Amino acid sequence: MAAHTYIAISELHPNISHSKVAGIIIGKTDVKSFPDRKNIGMDRFTFGFTVKDSPDFFINVSAWGNDAYVNGLASSISIGDCVTIENPLVATKDLEKGDRFCPATPSHYRLLVTEAHSQVCLCADMDTIDRLLSLIHLPVKDSRDFYSLGDIVANGQKLDGSVINILAAVKSIGDTKQFTTSDGRRGQRLEVRLFDDSVSSFPLVCWDREAIQLMQPLIPRETVLFIADAKISFDSFRSGMVATVNSKSIITVNPDTREASLLFSYAKEVSESGALDQDDMPEDVPVESITDVYTVSQLIQKARENPEALFGITYSFISKLDLDSSVSKVIKTRCSKCKFLVTEDLNSCTNQLCPGKDQIVSATTGFDLLVDFTDHTGTLHACSLRSPVAEKALGCTTEEFISLTDGERTAMKWKFLLERCKIYVKIIPSPKMKSGIRGMILDCSLADAGEVKQHMSALLQQRL
């Protein structure tokens, strides 16, 4: 069916009959049921979704009917799908009743669909699909009309109960928690942590299954959200503010706006610097208290199974150690407070989340390496080896290293690449890493031959 046969949302009117609308789904609610007043003992089912057909126009759609029809329709369409809606009833919105719980739309009307009179299906016209797809990245509110997370925190309880727009990046996505209420109803809850250039971590809670399904596949630290009409409330348990997605909220993923683009660039920069990891990084334990010995594959497996920090010892070869790279890649300067990379000519830290951002920068210069270590079971990539641990392991200071010739640096590199090392390591979750985990070397030295023999003997016994 050609695109010109569709009725534009902006032209819909109750007097129009046999209309056909095409749009992209930008929001969707969970299925709900109510006692049927006409058929005692039976339930009626409903769910809603919001479709958009142009940058400025979108409309709410409600589906009503029996269990099979409503749940069947709800499971067949998702946010981001392009759909056609044939013969819906065009009704005037009633903001005193059900429409006050739906997303705010520029249309004066809403659409009702039923099994007997209407049809909703996925759009099959490629020209129409191509036209609609770009609309999913356009916020439903003015792209400049939002609160920063810093604004929310600063206003505090003054915003309690308010419904506002938020622009923020995704820091982390928690696990979905299932629960059963006291009256036997099942529910779910997902907490997403947000950040921007003013606040490093802020909670966003999702209760609806549709919102949770939208959030779960997002890539932390690489996704920006524009959340229209999020509810803000004061959480006494946290003693702070929290945002909640509700039935009025429309979430735009990676909005195509200038403001979102600037935030995306900031999120990428601060993520690569490692500054975000400082908030969640647990304290190191004394090296001498670490006694558990692992192979590399055991370290990786246990770290993936446990969200907490894992400390252990591994007898491995360092398989990548770029000491013969340029000095600027081996020795770096970081802010003492937030560990953000800085240049020596700056007077202040450029990290907007740094607790000392308005002060004269206090920086430290030291070894800052990413190394791989390998044993017969596998390789752990991109582990941090920084001063002062690196100075102790390499046996030289940064000043001494700078004075070495290229040949001497290469010789130092091969000293470790050819020998088995005893490595004390901390592993933590890290969404930005391909493996999902990140290693930090707490101590490293050439392994004693007797220790290695004892370790290999123990591994052999385990296999037997």
Side-chain angles (χ1 to χ4, degrees):
M1 188 69 68
H4 65 267
T5 62
Y6 297 121
I7 301 294
I9 290 174
S10 61
E11 297 176 359
L12 286 171
H13 189 276
N15 294 332
I16 296 178
S17 60
H18 304 292
S19 59
K20 186 174 183 180
V21 176
I24 188 166
I25 299 176
I26 59 173
K28 185 170 173 243
T29 65
D30 291 352
V31 173
K32 294 180 174 61
S33 62
F34 303 90
D36 191 336
R37 295 178 181 176
K38 295 181 180 179
N39 299 290
I40 305 302
M42 303 291 288
D43 286 340
R44 294 185 72 200
F45 291 77
T46 183
F47 81 99
F49 58 100
T50 306
V51 294
K52 189 172 190 175
D53 72 347
S54 67
D56 298 321
F57 280 92
F58 50 99
I59 195 169
N60 293 321
V61 185
S62 296
W64 287 86
N66 59 36
D67 185 354
Y69 169 67
V70 171
N71 275 292
L73 177 58
S75 63
S76 69
I77 58 176
S78 302
I79 294 174
D81 286 343
C82 298
V83 296
T84 58
I85 307 168
E86 296 187 50
N87 200 33
L89 173 66
V90 182
T92 302
K93 287 194 298 190
D94 186 349
L95 297 179
E96 297 299 320
K97 294 184 178 181
D99 288 295
R100 67 192 179 99
F101 301 110
C102 299
T105 68
S107 174
H108 296 296
Y109 310 106
R110 57 191 172 99
L111 303 181
L112 301 179
V113 296
T114 61
E115 185 176 17
H117 300 96
S118 317
Q119 184 175 1
V120 179
C121 58
L122 295 176
C123 183
D125 179 58
M126 292 308 300
D127 289 338
T128 301
I129 293 173
D130 290 342
R131 176 178 63 83
L132 294 174
L133 283 177
S134 62
L135 301 177
I136 196 71
H137 296 293
L138 297 180
V140 296
K141 298 291 184 74
D142 186 334
S143 64
R144 299 162 295 179
D145 178 19
F146 64 88
Y147 277 71
S148 71
L149 300 180
D151 292 335
I152 298 172
V153 172
N155 281 278
Q157 296 190 50
K158 294 178 183 177
L159 288 176
D160 188 32
S162 300
V163 175
I164 64 172
N165 307 324
I166 299 172
L167 179 70
V170 176
K171 181 178 183 182
S172 64
I173 301 171
D175 296 325
T176 302
K177 308 294 185 182
Q178 306 291 335
F179 62 87
T180 302
T181 62
S182 57
D183 58 357
R185 291 181 294 111
R186 293 183 176 181
Q188 59 284 313
R189 181 184 186 277
L190 175 71
E191 181 167 314
V192 177
R193 306 296 296 192
L194 306 176
F195 75 99
D196 62 11
D197 59 1
S198 59
V199 171
S200 62
S201 186
F202 188 90
L204 173 72
V205 178
C206 303
W207 298 96
D208 285 357
R209 187 176 291 105
E210 293 294 337
I212 291 174
Q213 290 178 350
L214 177 65
M215 292 292 189
Q216 283 176 325
L218 302 182
I219 302 175
R221 309 185 186 198
E222 296 182 19
T223 305
V224 171
L225 304 176
F226 187 101
I227 309 164
D229 292 334
K231 185 176 181 180
I232 301 298
S233 55
F234 178 76
D235 188 324
S236 57
F237 179 77
R238 306 171 194 257
S239 296
M241 307 306 291
V242 61
T244 304
V245 176
N246 58 67
S247 60
K248 294 179 64 69
S249 307
I250 295 288
I251 301 171
T252 303
V253 179
N254 291 329
D256 185 14
T257 67
R258 177 179 178 275
E259 294 79 9
S261 178
L262 291 172
L263 179 56
F264 180 84
S265 298
Y266 171 78
K268 182 179 180 182
E269 180 184 359
V270 76
S271 178
E272 291 176 350
S273 75
L276 286 175
D277 294 327
Q278 304 302 314
D279 299 325
D280 306 316
M281 193 175 294
E283 293 294 326
D284 292 342
V285 301
V287 170
E288 58 270 15
S289 70
I290 302 173
T291 57
D292 294 330
V293 179
Y294 302 96
T295 63
V296 170
S297 64
Q298 288 172 336
L299 276 174
I300 295 173
Q301 184 63 31
K302 283 187 174 291
R304 287 175 175 169
E305 295 172 351
N306 189 350
E308 304 298 327
L310 173 69
F311 296 86
I313 301 169
T314 181
Y315 292 90
S316 305
F317 299 95
I318 291 183
S319 49
K320 181 180 179 181
L321 181 64
D322 294 334
L323 292 177
D324 44 5
S325 298
S326 63
V327 172
S328 62
K329 292 183 178 180
V330 177
I331 298 173
K332 299 174 184 176
T333 301
R334 291 182 179 270
C335 172
S336 301
K337 295 184 180 293
C338 70
K339 308 305 179 186
F340 200 82
L341 284 174
V342 298
T343 56
E344 294 181 359
D345 58 340
L346 287 179
N347 293 323
S348 61
C349 182
T350 57
N351 176 17
Q352 295 300 310
L353 303 181
C354 179
K357 65 179 181 180
D358 297 323
Q359 305 169 12
I360 296 176
V361 66
S362 171
T364 56
T365 300
F367 287 107
D368 199 332
L369 297 159
L370 292 178
V371 305
D372 298 350
F373 58 78
T374 302
D375 67 5
H376 62 289
T377 66
T379 299
L380 188 60
H381 298 279
C383 296
S384 296
L385 176 61
R386 295 180 180 173
S387 294
V389 176
E391 294 186 10
K392 178 184 175 184
L394 300 175
C396 72
T397 64
T398 53
E399 292 80 5
E400 291 169 339
F401 181 83
I402 292 172
S403 66
L404 295 178
T405 65
D406 291 343
E408 288 171 331
R409 293 173 190 166
T410 301
M412 180 183 292
K413 166 182 174 177
W414 282 101
K415 174 184 175 182
F416 289 91
L417 295 181
L418 291 175
E419 299 290 342
R420 190 180 292 270
C421 297
K422 183 179 183 181
I423 303 171
Y424 292 80
V425 64
K426 175 173 73 172
I427 311 292
I428 62 170
S430 180
K432 71 176 181 178
M433 301 293 291
K434 185 177 181 180
S435 63
I437 58 176
R438 179 183 175 207
M440 280 148 283
I441 296 175
L442 306 178
D443 193 57
C444 177
S445 60
L446 296 177
D448 177 82
E451 277 190 288
V452 174
K453 184 177 180 180
Q454 183 179 2
H455 170 60
M456 297 306 292
S457 176
L459 288 177
L460 182 60
Q461 290 296 321
Q462 289 177 10
R463 291 185 177 183
L464 295 176

